Amino acid sequence: MKVYVFAALKDFMPSESELNTSINNIESLREVLILKYPAAREILNSCRFSTDKEILSQQQDITHYENIFVIPPSSGG
Amino acid sequence: MKTYSLSHPQAVVNNIHISSVELSPADLLKDYHHPEAGAIVLFSGEVRTDTAKEVLYLDYEVHTSLAENMIHEILLEAVAKWNLKMALCVHRSGKVEVSAAAVVVITAARHRKEAYEANQYIINKVKHEVPIWKREYFADGTNEWGHNCSCSTS
């Protein structure tokens, strides 16, 4: 699974990375990322997750997803 | 630029919502007149500096494919809720200088109340929910990611 991150998250981790761990849902993915990048815990806890087209729910089964995007709180406008 | 939405065949909603090139609010407005709309509201969100810390420019990062979808859904929702005749939202990506437009929202309705309310609704939703992030570059050589918007009306 490829994981893409944006904005302030890039201060803590690469903008894209490959995770080989078996990850079932968004909540598990969040936990894996926090374990791997503990300094990003606060921001990861406030992130949403998405595909290239839609926001995913916490319990969404992502076992077969190839790309996941991690979305920090927005600051547009 | 103008296309007729299938969900609301009588309303005109623009189709491209993220732009890497300069926005001209005046040029966008030229296309947004409708024979049944007595009120057109245009909001231009522009980059500002600060007397405490001079801003040189902002750089916007965007999750483009998701942002395009989300803005379009927000516009269709507003069209249905306020019976808009036309709605547009375009947000910049990349570098935007002070006093340049970072986001433009245009709403056209029969009366001003609906046009104003819909316009505020759209910009608030875009600021809070759409995956767009600004990095501020200052005259003292520093830069930082913008704080997430926790406001409801500004």
Side-chain angles (χ1 to χ4, degrees), chain A residues 35-61:
Chain A
L35 278 175
K36 201 166 176 180
Y37 306 102
R41 170 186 292 275
E42 191 178 339
I43 187 165
L44 282 167
N45 276 329
S46 61
C47 283
R48 294 173 293 168
F49 293 74
S50 81
T51 64
D52 59 341
K53 296 281 187 185
E54 62 180 359
I55 298 287
L56 297 169
S57 70
Q58 298 299 309
Q59 298 309 319
Q60 175 73 43
D61 182 349

Short mmCIF file of all heavy atoms in Angstrom, two decimals, chain A residues 35-61:
data_model
loop_
_atom_site.label_atom_id
_atom_site.label_comp_id
_atom_site.label_asym_id
_atom_site.label_seq_id
_atom_site.Cartn_x
_atom_site.Cartn_y
_atom_site.Cartn_z
N LEU A 35 3.07 4.76 15.36
CA LEU A 35 4.19 3.96 15.87
C LEU A 35 5.47 4.27 15.10
O LEU A 35 6.56 4.35 15.66
CB LEU A 35 3.88 2.47 15.73
CG LEU A 35 3.02 1.85 16.83
CD1 LEU A 35 2.70 0.41 16.48
CD2 LEU A 35 3.74 1.92 18.18
N LYS A 36 5.30 4.46 13.80
CA LYS A 36 6.47 4.70 12.94
C LYS A 36 6.99 6.14 13.07
O LYS A 36 8.19 6.38 12.97
CB LYS A 36 6.06 4.40 11.49
CG LYS A 36 7.22 4.11 10.57
CD LYS A 36 6.74 3.49 9.27
CE LYS A 36 7.94 3.32 8.37
NZ LYS A 36 7.69 2.75 7.11
N TYR A 37 6.06 7.08 13.26
CA TYR A 37 6.43 8.50 13.34
C TYR A 37 5.80 9.12 14.59
O TYR A 37 4.85 9.91 14.49
CB TYR A 37 5.95 9.25 12.09
CG TYR A 37 6.43 8.64 10.80
CD1 TYR A 37 5.57 7.84 10.02
CD2 TYR A 37 7.74 8.83 10.36
CE1 TYR A 37 6.01 7.26 8.84
CE2 TYR A 37 8.18 8.25 9.17
CZ TYR A 37 7.31 7.47 8.42
OH TYR A 37 7.74 6.90 7.24
N PRO A 38 6.30 8.78 15.79
CA PRO A 38 5.66 9.23 17.03
C PRO A 38 5.59 10.76 17.17
O PRO A 38 4.66 11.28 17.79
CB PRO A 38 6.52 8.60 18.13
CG PRO A 38 7.76 8.12 17.47
CD PRO A 38 7.44 7.88 16.04
N ALA A 39 6.54 11.47 16.55
CA ALA A 39 6.53 12.93 16.66
C ALA A 39 5.32 13.53 15.94
O ALA A 39 4.91 14.66 16.22
CB ALA A 39 7.81 13.51 16.07
N ALA A 40 4.70 12.75 15.04
CA ALA A 40 3.53 13.26 14.28
C ALA A 40 2.21 12.84 14.91
O ALA A 40 1.15 13.03 14.31
CB ALA A 40 3.61 12.76 12.84
N ARG A 41 2.27 12.29 16.14
CA ARG A 41 1.06 11.74 16.77
C ARG A 41 -0.09 12.76 16.80
O ARG A 41 -1.21 12.44 16.39
CB ARG A 41 1.36 11.31 18.20
CG ARG A 41 0.12 10.96 19.02
CD ARG A 41 0.45 10.69 20.47
NE ARG A 41 1.21 9.48 20.64
CZ ARG A 41 0.67 8.25 20.74
NH1 ARG A 41 -0.64 8.11 20.71
NH2 ARG A 41 1.43 7.19 20.87
N GLU A 42 0.21 13.97 17.25
CA GLU A 42 -0.87 14.96 17.41
C GLU A 42 -1.57 15.26 16.09
O GLU A 42 -2.80 15.24 16.00
CB GLU A 42 -0.30 16.24 18.02
CG GLU A 42 -1.37 17.21 18.46
CD GLU A 42 -0.79 18.45 19.09
OE1 GLU A 42 0.37 18.42 19.56
OE2 GLU A 42 -1.50 19.48 19.10
N ILE A 43 -0.76 15.51 15.08
CA ILE A 43 -1.37 15.85 13.78
C ILE A 43 -2.05 14.63 13.16
O ILE A 43 -3.14 14.73 12.58
CB ILE A 43 -0.34 16.52 12.83
CG1 ILE A 43 -1.04 17.01 11.56
CG2 ILE A 43 0.81 15.63 12.50
CD1 ILE A 43 -0.22 17.96 10.75
N LEU A 44 -1.45 13.44 13.31
CA LEU A 44 -2.09 12.23 12.75
C LEU A 44 -3.45 11.98 13.39
O LEU A 44 -4.38 11.51 12.73
CB LEU A 44 -1.18 11.02 12.94
CG LEU A 44 -0.01 10.91 11.95
CD1 LEU A 44 1.00 9.87 12.42
CD2 LEU A 44 -0.51 10.58 10.55
N ASN A 45 -3.56 12.31 14.67
CA ASN A 45 -4.84 12.10 15.35
C ASN A 45 -5.94 13.04 14.85
O ASN A 45 -7.12 12.81 15.10
CB ASN A 45 -4.68 12.26 16.86
CG ASN A 45 -4.18 10.97 17.49
OD1 ASN A 45 -4.48 9.87 17.01
ND2 ASN A 45 -3.40 11.09 18.56
N SER A 46 -5.54 14.12 14.16
CA SER A 46 -6.56 15.04 13.64
C SER A 46 -6.75 14.89 12.13
O SER A 46 -7.46 15.67 11.50
CB SER A 46 -6.21 16.49 14.00
OG SER A 46 -4.98 16.83 13.42
N CYS A 47 -6.10 13.89 11.54
CA CYS A 47 -6.17 13.72 10.08
C CYS A 47 -7.39 12.92 9.63
O CYS A 47 -7.87 12.04 10.34
CB CYS A 47 -4.92 13.00 9.57
SG CYS A 47 -3.46 14.06 9.49
N ARG A 48 -7.84 13.21 8.41
CA ARG A 48 -8.77 12.35 7.69
C ARG A 48 -7.94 11.55 6.68
O ARG A 48 -6.78 11.89 6.41
CB ARG A 48 -9.83 13.18 6.95
CG ARG A 48 -10.76 13.95 7.89
CD ARG A 48 -11.68 14.89 7.13
NE ARG A 48 -10.92 15.97 6.50
CZ ARG A 48 -11.40 16.81 5.59
NH1 ARG A 48 -12.65 16.67 5.18
NH2 ARG A 48 -10.65 17.76 5.07
N PHE A 49 -8.55 10.52 6.14
CA PHE A 49 -7.87 9.66 5.15
C PHE A 49 -8.77 9.56 3.93
O PHE A 49 -10.00 9.60 4.04
CB PHE A 49 -7.61 8.27 5.74
CG PHE A 49 -6.61 8.29 6.88
CD1 PHE A 49 -6.97 8.78 8.14
CD2 PHE A 49 -5.32 7.82 6.69
CE1 PHE A 49 -6.05 8.80 9.19
CE2 PHE A 49 -4.39 7.83 7.73
CZ PHE A 49 -4.76 8.33 8.98
N SER A 50 -8.13 9.41 2.76
CA SER A 50 -8.94 9.39 1.54
C SER A 50 -8.31 8.51 0.46
O SER A 50 -7.14 8.14 0.55
CB SER A 50 -9.11 10.81 0.98
OG SER A 50 -7.96 11.18 0.24
N THR A 51 -9.11 8.23 -0.57
CA THR A 51 -8.58 7.72 -1.83
C THR A 51 -8.29 8.95 -2.67
O THR A 51 -8.30 10.09 -2.16
CB THR A 51 -9.62 6.85 -2.56
OG1 THR A 51 -10.73 7.69 -2.90
CG2 THR A 51 -10.10 5.71 -1.67
N ASP A 52 -8.10 8.76 -3.97
CA ASP A 52 -7.88 9.94 -4.80
C ASP A 52 -9.18 10.70 -5.04
O ASP A 52 -9.17 11.84 -5.50
CB ASP A 52 -7.21 9.58 -6.13
CG ASP A 52 -8.04 8.60 -6.94
OD1 ASP A 52 -8.91 7.93 -6.35
OD2 ASP A 52 -7.81 8.51 -8.16
N LYS A 53 -10.34 10.11 -4.69
CA LYS A 53 -11.61 10.76 -5.02
C LYS A 53 -12.54 10.98 -3.84
O LYS A 53 -13.47 11.77 -3.91
CB LYS A 53 -12.38 9.91 -6.05
CG LYS A 53 -11.71 9.78 -7.38
CD LYS A 53 -11.91 11.00 -8.24
CE LYS A 53 -11.36 10.77 -9.64
NZ LYS A 53 -11.41 11.95 -10.48
N GLU A 54 -12.35 10.21 -2.71
CA GLU A 54 -13.33 10.35 -1.61
C GLU A 54 -12.70 10.13 -0.25
O GLU A 54 -11.74 9.38 -0.10
CB GLU A 54 -14.50 9.39 -1.82
CG GLU A 54 -14.08 7.94 -1.80
CD GLU A 54 -15.25 6.98 -2.00
OE1 GLU A 54 -16.38 7.45 -2.12
OE2 GLU A 54 -14.99 5.76 -2.00
N ILE A 55 -13.31 10.78 0.76
CA ILE A 55 -12.91 10.62 2.15
C ILE A 55 -13.37 9.23 2.63
O ILE A 55 -14.46 8.78 2.28
CB ILE A 55 -13.57 11.71 3.02
CG1 ILE A 55 -13.10 13.11 2.59
CG2 ILE A 55 -13.30 11.47 4.51
CD1 ILE A 55 -11.69 13.47 2.98
N LEU A 56 -12.53 8.58 3.43
CA LEU A 56 -12.85 7.23 3.92
C LEU A 56 -13.28 7.28 5.38
O LEU A 56 -12.77 8.09 6.16
CB LEU A 56 -11.61 6.33 3.78
CG LEU A 56 -11.13 6.11 2.35
CD1 LEU A 56 -9.76 5.44 2.35
CD2 LEU A 56 -12.14 5.27 1.57
N SER A 57 -14.16 6.37 5.76
CA SER A 57 -14.57 6.30 7.17
C SER A 57 -13.52 5.52 7.97
O SER A 57 -12.71 4.79 7.40
CB SER A 57 -15.93 5.59 7.27
OG SER A 57 -15.76 4.23 6.96
N GLN A 58 -13.57 5.68 9.29
CA GLN A 58 -12.57 5.05 10.17
C GLN A 58 -12.53 3.54 10.00
O GLN A 58 -11.49 2.92 10.11
CB GLN A 58 -12.89 5.37 11.64
CG GLN A 58 -12.85 6.84 11.97
CD GLN A 58 -11.48 7.42 11.74
OE1 GLN A 58 -10.49 6.89 12.21
NE2 GLN A 58 -11.40 8.50 10.97
N GLN A 59 -13.69 2.94 9.79
CA GLN A 59 -13.77 1.48 9.74
C GLN A 59 -13.72 0.93 8.32
O GLN A 59 -13.88 -0.28 8.12
CB GLN A 59 -15.08 1.01 10.43
CG GLN A 59 -15.14 1.37 11.91
CD GLN A 59 -13.88 0.95 12.68
OE1 GLN A 59 -13.36 -0.14 12.45
NE2 GLN A 59 -13.40 1.82 13.55
N GLN A 60 -13.50 1.80 7.36
CA GLN A 60 -13.44 1.35 5.96
C GLN A 60 -12.39 0.25 5.78
O GLN A 60 -11.25 0.40 6.22
CB GLN A 60 -13.09 2.55 5.07
CG GLN A 60 -12.87 2.23 3.62
CD GLN A 60 -14.17 1.92 2.90
OE1 GLN A 60 -15.17 2.61 3.11
NE2 GLN A 60 -14.16 0.88 2.08
N ASP A 61 -12.78 -0.84 5.16
CA ASP A 61 -11.84 -1.92 4.85
C ASP A 61 -10.92 -1.45 3.72
O ASP A 61 -11.39 -1.16 2.61
CB ASP A 61 -12.63 -3.16 4.42
CG ASP A 61 -11.71 -4.35 4.12
OD1 ASP A 61 -10.48 -4.15 4.04
OD2 ASP A 61 -12.23 -5.46 3.96
#
